[in-house]
Amino acid sequence: SKNRTDEYSQIIHKICRARKLSYEIRVSTAPGECARIAREACQRGEELRLYACGGDGTLNEVAQGAAGYENVAVTVFSGGSGNDFVKYYGGAVNFLSLSALFEGEEREIDLLTDGEEYSINAANFGFDYAVCETMEKVRRFPLLGGKRAYYAGIVKSLFTAMKNHVKVYADGELLTDDDRFLLCTVANGTYIGGSYMCAPRSDNEDGLLELCYVKAVSIPTFLKLIGYYKRGEHLDAEALAPYIIYKRVSKIEVESPDKDFGYALDGEMHPSQRFWLSIAPGALRFAIPKAAQEFVAQREKAKGKAFACK
């Protein structure tokens, strides 16, 4: 909105002038424009840091434009409704101070790619694709925006998604002979859908993707699964072990006989019966404020203790 843009601009003017920093504010007016603005900035050849002011969509577009450029770093001044990607770093609260972002440490993080576009967070197909498809249709309605759109997608997909068939090859190996399935997420981040912890073990600097494939299940089993999935406990739940295949992979290839099949790349719909997804190691310089660094360090320490106990 114009009010939000004016608010951001005033904050940026004040901080940058106080620090005697050169800066430029660009406002996008159409889908895809952030990627173009970012790419043009990168092509100047100067050392720059791009601040994506918005949510996951804005951040993903800026990452698209900056991917592979060594002279440019990216970060995000969070202002979206879902903010899924920054939950990897403790949430939007850690990305709401421009002063902290200016001091942020730059790290090389991985991106996910389908060969034409990049994804900073996650790709999904099956149930999650059907959910995204429904979300796109209903999110324009005032009462079904934000997380409500995701819940509406879940309800509809319960009756359609498990009719899908697919063959998935992970690093060249067929995952399962049974081609009936519920969903598959291929993650670089940790969360999707605003609050669902699809990839609790993700590490966006390890050069690998987190693949979670869920076989076709009954609706009662699905209702049991969804709670674990939301909390990020599905990979360790013994009751769900027969239904879940989890792997760290560098590439997957997917083919389906279903004409309405496709995949979502950070929520962007891509209808396709055949596609591949792979990791692009260290493809983006991403600036992380101190609070986010501390959150990641604490999480990794907790992971280490958990694995030691096992």
Side-chain angles (χ1 to χ4, degrees), residues 2-285:
K2 186 180 185 305
N3 289 341
R4 179 60 64 87
T5 300
D6 290 343
E7 179 187 346
Y8 282 175
S9 297
Q10 289 173 10
I11 295 171
I12 294 166
H13 284 313
K14 182 178 180 179
I15 294 177
C16 289
R17 285 173 179 170
R19 293 169 176 255
K20 298 181 180 180
L21 296 173
S22 298
Y23 66 97
E24 182 179 348
I25 299 172
R26 299 288 299 273
V27 181
S28 65
T29 57
E33 193 170 0
C34 285
R36 178 185 61 79
I37 291 170
R39 191 174 299 109
E40 289 174 355
C42 295
Q43 290 170 348
R44 297 176 190 171
E46 304 169 358
E47 278 286 332
L48 300 171
R49 182 178 291 178
L50 304 178
Y51 295 78
C53 298
D56 291 314
T58 304
L59 174 59
N60 190 53
E61 281 200 23
V62 173
Q64 292 277 349
Y69 285 93
E70 297 182 357
N71 59 307
V72 173
V74 171
T75 191
V76 58
F77 186 49
S78 291
S81 57
N83 299 308
D84 284 330
F85 180 69
V86 293
K87 287 184 174 69
Y88 179 93
Y89 297 104
V93 66
N94 291 334
F95 290 81
L96 290 176
S97 166
L98 277 176
S99 295
L101 290 174
F102 284 142
E103 303 297 334
E105 175 188 73
E106 294 179 5
R107 305 188 33 183
E108 293 184 353
I109 68 169
D110 305 330
L111 295 177
L112 188 158
T113 181
D114 63 357
E116 295 184 2
E117 298 181 23
Y118 290 96
S119 160
I120 197 170
N121 191 51
N124 42 61
F125 51 94
F127 180 85
D128 285 325
Y129 177 80
V131 170
C132 288
E133 197 171 37
T134 300
M135 285 176 67
E136 285 299 309
K137 295 177 182 177
V138 305
R139 70 195 325 162
R140 298 176 184 85
F141 297 101
L143 295 178
L144 289 174
K147 293 180 181 179
R148 292 189 184 94
Y150 192 78
Y151 296 140
I154 286 176
V155 172
K156 183 176 184 296
S157 300
L158 272 175
F159 300 98
T160 60
M162 280 182 277
K163 297 178 182 178
N164 286 322
H165 295 77
V166 72
K167 288 187 182 296
V168 178
Y169 298 86
D171 289 335
E173 178 185 354
L174 181 64
L175 277 185
T176 175
D177 292 328
D178 186 353
D179 66 354
R180 296 176 303 118
F181 83 119
L182 173 63
L183 64 85
C184 185
T185 58
V186 186
N188 185 48
T190 302
Y191 282 83
I192 59 173
S195 59
Y196 288 80
M197 197 175 186
C198 67
R201 300 176 189 172
S202 63
D203 180 344
N204 65 17
E205 297 179 30
D206 67 354
L208 293 170
L209 297 168
E210 308 289 312
L211 182 150
C212 181
Y213 180 98
V214 182
K215 302 174 185 177
V217 297
S218 66
I219 289 180
T221 300
F222 171 84
L223 295 175
K224 181 190 299 183
L225 166 68
I226 199 69
Y228 287 103
Y229 190 62
K230 186 172 185 177
R231 297 188 298 271
E233 299 171 354
H234 51 292
L235 300 182
D236 298 312
E238 292 184 10
L240 302 181
Y243 310 108
I244 292 178
I245 300 174
Y246 167 78
K247 286 180 176 289
R248 282 193 171 100
V249 299
S250 58
K251 181 177 180 179
I252 70 163
E253 298 169 76
V254 181
E255 57 184 51
S256 172
D258 302 328
K259 292 182 179 180
D260 60 349
F261 201 76
Y263 62 102
L265 201 62
D266 278 350
E268 294 294 321
M269 312 302 291
H270 296 266
S272 179
Q273 291 176 266
R274 294 176 64 92
F275 57 90
W276 59 267
L277 302 165
S278 66
I279 194 72
L284 185 72
R285 283 168 55 191

